[in-house]
């Protein structure tokens, strides 16, 4: 994709320990002429049913601690048949039961509808913050497919992609439609208008 604002490069400070997520975000923000700097600091992650609240608290606390404007993201896979599980607990569930554990929970389940949701939070040391959300709908596949992406990508089939999973799409294809891509594009549009 063509950069939208390459004349003046802007910098965003992204708090994350997930290098795969950082790479996706860097490619998305590059389209807007935004350079992203990775801050690998153990962020406080509250336990909450709202990914928006989790991202907001993490961003606000990091911005205050670092005395920098900070961007964080929280995301989750919300499966209809499992009442939205794993949702905001997706990272923990991935580390404990993984893709195969979710497929086992979904064994024999007819309703395979699911959503990936993303909440991007931007916070300044002054305490001002904003949230940008993105969501993509699809189905949980019967088996894991593909070797690209990370996390639950091998079992999430976004609608309109002939049954291919996120892990079967290249990074630019995934970023064009993903929950993270949608949320970070909203952030980028706002950020480049804010930081002139």
């Amino acid at each position: 994709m063509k950069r939208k604002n390459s004349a003046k490069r802007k910098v965003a400070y992204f708090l994350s320990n997930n290098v795969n997520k950082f790479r996706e975000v860097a490619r998305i923000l590059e389209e807007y002429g935004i350079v992203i700097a990775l801050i690998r600091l153990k962020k406080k992650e509250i336990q909450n049913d709202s990914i928006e609240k989790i991202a907001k608290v993490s961003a606000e606390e990091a911005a205050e601690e670092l005395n920098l404007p900070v961007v964080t993201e929280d995301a989750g896979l919300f499966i209809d048949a499992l009442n939205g599980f794993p949702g905001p607990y997706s990272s923990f569930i991935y580390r404990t039961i993984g893709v195969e554990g979710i497929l086992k929970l979904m064994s024999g389940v007819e309703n395979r509808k699911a959503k990936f949701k993303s909440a991007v939070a931007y916070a300044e040391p002054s305490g001002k913050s904003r949230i940008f959300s993105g969501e993509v709908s699809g189905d949980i596949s019967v088996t894991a497919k593909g070797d690209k992406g990370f996390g639950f990508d091998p079992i999430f089939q976004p609608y309109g992609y002939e049954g291919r999973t996120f892990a079967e799409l290249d990074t630019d294809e995934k970023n064009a439609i993903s929950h993270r891509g949608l949320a970070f594009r909203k952030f980028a549009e706002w950020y480049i208008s804010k930081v002139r």
Side-chain angles (χ1 to χ4, degrees), residues 90-145:
S90 292
S91 180
F92 174 74
I93 298 305
Y94 179 76
R95 288 192 315 272
T96 54
I97 66 171
V99 167
E100 292 304 319
I102 292 294
L103 289 177
K104 197 175 279 188
L105 287 172
M106 293 295 290
S107 178
V109 176
E110 202 171 306
N111 175 8
R112 305 193 75 81
K113 292 179 183 177
K115 290 181 184 120
F116 258 126
K117 295 181 183 180
S118 168
V120 172
Y122 169 84
E124 296 178 354
S126 65
K128 290 183 186 174
S129 61
R130 289 185 69 116
I131 303 286
F132 306 87
S133 300
E135 183 177 300
V136 62
S137 296
D139 288 319
I140 300 300
S141 59
V142 176
T143 59
K145 301 184 290 182

Side-chain angles (χ1 to χ4, degrees), residues 6-18:
S6 57
K8 279 182 138 182
R9 309 282 286 170
K10 299 178 181 17
V11 177
Y13 298 96
F14 182 53
L15 180 67
S16 180
N17 283 312
N18 186 327

Side-chain angles (χ1 to χ4, degrees), residues 10-191:
K10 299 178 181 17
V11 177
Y13 298 96
F14 182 53
L15 180 67
S16 180
N17 283 312
N18 186 327
V19 175
N20 293 311
K21 186 185 286 192
F22 169 74
R23 288 185 185 126
E24 282 187 6
V25 171
R27 285 181 80 136
I28 295 163
L29 295 183
E30 183 181 32
E31 298 170 28
Y32 295 85
I34 300 170
V35 175
I36 188 165
L38 178 62
I39 299 173
R40 295 188 81 171
L41 174 73
K42 182 73 175 157
K43 64 179 179 176
K44 180 180 179 184
E45 195 165 292
I46 63 166
Q47 296 301 306
N48 196 284
D49 290 340
S50 165
I51 60 172
E52 292 82 6
K53 178 79 171 174
I54 295 167
K56 184 177 189 283
V57 169
S58 293
E60 288 174 348
E61 291 189 1
E64 184 180 352
E65 182 180 337
L66 298 169
N67 198 32
L68 283 171
V70 173
V71 179
T72 63
E73 188 234 15
D74 198 64
L77 175 63
F78 295 75
I79 302 172
D80 285 10
L82 301 178
N83 296 319
F85 181 83
Y89 311 102
S90 292
S91 180
F92 174 74
I93 298 305
Y94 179 76
R95 288 192 315 272
T96 54
I97 66 171
V99 167
E100 292 304 319
I102 292 294
L103 289 177
K104 197 175 279 188
L105 287 172
M106 293 295 290
S107 178
V109 176
E110 202 171 306
N111 175 8
R112 305 193 75 81
K113 292 179 183 177
K115 290 181 184 120
F116 258 126
K117 295 181 183 180
S118 168
V120 172
Y122 169 84
E124 296 178 354
S126 65
K128 290 183 186 174
S129 61
R130 289 185 69 116
I131 303 286
F132 306 87
S133 300
E135 183 177 300
V136 62
S137 296
D139 288 319
I140 300 300
S141 59
V142 176
T143 59
K145 301 184 290 182
D147 58 3
K148 299 173 186 148
F150 61 97
F152 291 118
D153 286 357
I155 60 170
F156 183 78
Q157 300 170 281
Y159 293 145
Y161 281 78
E162 300 87 38
R164 291 188 296 160
T165 66
F166 268 172
E168 293 176 293
L169 305 178
D170 67 37
T171 302
D172 290 334
E173 246 182 326
K174 178 187 172 190
N175 282 348
I177 61 159
S178 77
H179 53 303
R180 185 167 296 114
L182 295 169
F184 270 99
R185 280 187 180 83
K186 289 177 187 175
F187 162 74
E189 293 285 354
W190 171 81
Y191 193 63

